[in-house]
Amino acid sequence: MKKDRYIYPVIFDDDSDGISVEFPDLPGCFTCGDTEEEALQMAKEALALHLYGLEQENEVIPEPSKLSDIPYKNNKTVVFIEVWMPTFRHEMEA
């Protein structure tokens, strides 16, 4: 079932060559950015695109993990990213 709003945890890994972004609940959903702002924007776009693809293929959309269930190490930060799908779907289908 499609939702209008999704919120998923994302791991930001800050390294000397930029910030990599990984969604632990969504295998294959990765992106990166040179700055925190760019990495955050890229994360939102990657999340929306990945979820849109799952919706289009009628795939099961996994439930997001709880913050306490996500293991992470130094140089990594876990935050939650929210996407509003009606706007994204409209852009993709226009």
Side-chain angles (χ1 to χ4, degrees):
M1 179 177 176
K2 293 180 184 179
K3 294 182 182 178
D4 286 344
R5 181 179 131 210
Y6 293 98
I7 301 174
Y8 276 87
V10 60
I11 300 172
F12 288 88
D13 187 357
D14 194 358
D15 204 351
S16 61
D17 63 345
I19 302 168
S20 62
V21 180
E22 172 188 1
F23 290 86
D25 298 311
L26 302 168
C29 189
F30 299 95
T31 190
C32 61
D34 292 328
T35 65
E36 289 178 6
E37 183 178 333
E38 182 182 36
L40 180 61
Q41 182 60 38
M42 296 298 290
K44 287 183 178 184
E45 290 177 18
L47 177 59
L49 186 59
H50 192 86
L51 293 172
Y52 180 78
L54 292 175
E55 289 177 348
Q56 293 302 303
E57 297 297 321
N58 292 317
E59 297 281 336
V60 173
I61 296 178
E63 290 295 318
S65 294
K66 295 178 183 177
L67 184 59
S68 60
D69 294 337
I70 302 171
Y72 58 95
K73 300 176 184 175
N74 291 342
N75 295 338
K76 296 185 180 188
T77 304
V78 179
V79 298
F80 283 86
I81 300 290
E82 176 181 11
V83 291
W84 182 249
M85 293 302 290
T87 304
F88 187 81
R89 287 183 198 115
H90 177 72
E91 289 175 12
M92 294 298 293
E93 296 165 3

